[in-house]
Amino acid sequence: MKKILILLVLTIISTNGFSQKLSKTKKIETKGSFANPIPSPNGEFILVSGEQSKGISLLNVKTKKLTQISKTEGSGYGYSWANDGETFFYKVKPENGYIMNSEVFSYTIKTKKTEKVNINHNYLPSYKGNTKGSNVVVYTNIRTLKIEAIDLNTMKSWVVTNNEGQFYSATLSHDGKKVALHEGSSLFVYNIDGSGVIAKLGEGIATSWSKNDNYLLGFISESLDGHDVSNSDIYLFDVTTSKSKKMTQTKNSLESDPSFFGTNGIIFTDGKTGQIFTSQIKF
């Protein structure tokens, strides 16, 4: 499966001071070709999309049953789980409309009920549903290309990236205090309150925070012709030391879209075959 990524980089990053290793990978036996696997907080289900972010399917980890939730183009990007792992949120492009006008829907597993959610689709994937107290989401302002945050309970908003630059793909930490984001090919971690940079992590695409928010999983892809991906590997970024480690180094696979899974696991896809794999990370 060919996969064209937003970010293509060739930089090799410093790997000093790391002891983490991955165990042998295991394939989840499913029929089809998938991308962007996002596990539920309880680890019982995995959301996956098809090629070019088309459609969403729900994979039951125990039974390996795959249930298609949406066939819509563009719905397979930016989905998120509620904290209880029972409901998830995704976007749907209106028929004959534009992606920028996408609507947000929720799906509850037990009831198999789909409902429209009245929020801006740009708030995904940081949106986790209605919560008490602070309910902050982060997103890219498409006019200024700054990363902004808004508390959906108070509707107070503010700019996270107060410095110059064009930023994208913000990922909120579990404690709600930090934001992983990108400027060009560079990866940064900012304070959510807009007070500035916490860590400069070099090059890469960050896709998942560890439970303690000390690490980020991500990947780096290479392209020989500027179009098709020729190589892709998973990286672990240490937010506390601003260092990183290459976790995979294979010639026949294109590891991408990694997420932390369960207690010490990770889940990712192979961009060549579209198959889903899991592994254990040893901290």
Side-chain angles (χ1 to χ4, degrees), residues 156-177:
K156 177 186 176 182
S157 63
W158 62 95
V159 178
V160 175
T161 53
N162 285 298
N163 50 315
E164 293 298 319
Q166 298 180 353
F167 304 92
Y168 64 96
S169 192
T171 305
L172 188 63
S173 62
H174 295 293
D175 64 10
K177 297 180 179 179

Side-chain angles (χ1 to χ4, degrees), residues 42-43 57 62 79 101 225:
N42 56 23
S57 294
K62 184 177 181 180
Y79 37 66
N101 297 323
D225 60 8

Side-chain angles (χ1 to χ4, degrees), residues 43 50 73 106 153 272:
E73 179 183 353
S106 68
N153 290 338
K272 281 189 175 181

Side-chain angles (χ1 to χ4, degrees), residues 239-275:
V239 177
T240 63
T241 64
S242 295
K243 294 179 180 178
S244 59
K245 181 176 182 179
K246 190 175 186 178
M247 303 301 290
T248 60
Q249 193 166 356
T250 55
K251 294 181 179 180
N252 299 318
S253 300
L254 300 176
E255 294 92 347
S256 59
D257 300 328
S259 285
F260 284 101
F261 180 41
T263 304
N264 291 312
I266 69 169
I267 187 168
F268 59 93
T269 54
D270 174 8
K272 281 189 175 181
T273 65
Q275 296 301 293

